[in-house]
Amino acid sequence: MPSDRVLKTMNAVHRGLIKLTGGRVGWQARMPVLELTTVGRKSGQPRTVLLTSPHQEGDALVVVASRGGDDTHPAWFLNLRDRPDVEVSLKGAPKRPMRARIANADERAKLWPKIAGDFKNYAQYQTKTEREIPLVFLEPR
């Protein structure tokens, strides 16, 4: 599994690519890329990460808390679990307030086969861990 340092480096490189190209490259990776800002559950400080959204339902975006199949949840997931009011930016647009909601068992059972079928990396991540990888809805406030 990638270390925190590797994940943070990958995120920084991705941000650099977006900045270097003036946003022409980096906002689409087979699925929309979004910038999620949470409030750190320990620090109380804003924390921003780039994520992909493999599924959208109306105005809601769905993100996958996979962390590459690691046995621990990503920090951004733990942050929004504790403080669900977040901000989201798509394609570099201004941030908009949203509320994060973890998919319930029925929602996950319906969505997971579609997401894992369309994007095989997610299916592979689930085989690497015994934890059930959560799906999160980001919904307009």
Side-chain angles (χ1 to χ4, degrees), residues 38-47 79 83:
T38 61
V39 175
R41 66 194 180 286
K42 296 176 184 174
S43 70
Q45 299 299 308
R47 303 291 184 218
N79 290 343
R83 297 180 183 191

Side-chain angles (χ1 to χ4, degrees), residues 27-42:
W27 286 114
Q28 187 71 29
R30 285 193 56 223
M31 62 188 97
V33 174
L34 60 89
E35 185 177 59
L36 173 70
T37 302
T38 61
V39 175
R41 66 194 180 286
K42 296 176 184 174

Side-chain angles (χ1 to χ4, degrees), residues 75-97:
W76 62 262
F77 173 79
L78 299 173
N79 290 343
L80 66 75
R81 179 194 65 191
D82 291 358
R83 297 180 183 191
D85 290 330
V86 300
E87 292 182 320
V88 175
S89 173
L90 278 171
K91 296 184 181 179
K95 292 179 181 180
R96 59 186 180 146

Side-chain angles (χ1 to χ4, degrees), residues 12-137:
V13 168
H14 192 165
R15 271 181 213 290
L17 178 65
I18 290 170
K19 187 174 183 175
L20 183 68
T21 65
R24 290 184 307 279
V25 177
W27 286 114
Q28 187 71 29
R30 285 193 56 223
M31 62 188 97
V33 174
L34 60 89
E35 185 177 59
L36 173 70
T37 302
T38 61
V39 175
R41 66 194 180 286
K42 296 176 184 174
S43 70
Q45 299 299 308
R47 303 291 184 218
T48 302
V49 64
L50 293 172
L51 301 171
T52 53
S53 176
H55 184 79
Q56 298 79 42
E57 283 191 15
D59 290 337
L61 304 164
V62 176
V63 292
V64 181
S66 62
R67 200 170 190 271
D70 194 43
D71 289 329
T72 59
H73 292 304
W76 62 262
F77 173 79
L78 299 173
N79 290 343
L80 66 75
R81 179 194 65 191
D82 291 358
R83 297 180 183 191
D85 290 330
V86 300
E87 292 182 320
V88 175
S89 173
L90 278 171
K91 296 184 181 179
K95 292 179 181 180
R96 59 186 180 146
M98 299 189 94
R99 185 147 180 102
R101 181 178 62 78
I102 301 167
N104 65 36
D106 290 340
E107 290 170 323
R108 188 183 186 286
K110 175 185 163 195
L111 279 178
W112 184 257
K114 178 178 178 11
I115 290 171
D118 291 347
F119 303 99
K120 303 295 185 202
N121 56 318
Y122 291 122
Q124 183 182 23
Y125 296 158
Q126 187 60 79
T127 66
K128 294 179 180 182
T129 182
E130 291 188 21
R131 84 176 163 95
E132 183 176 79
I133 294 175
L135 301 179
V136 177
F137 288 88

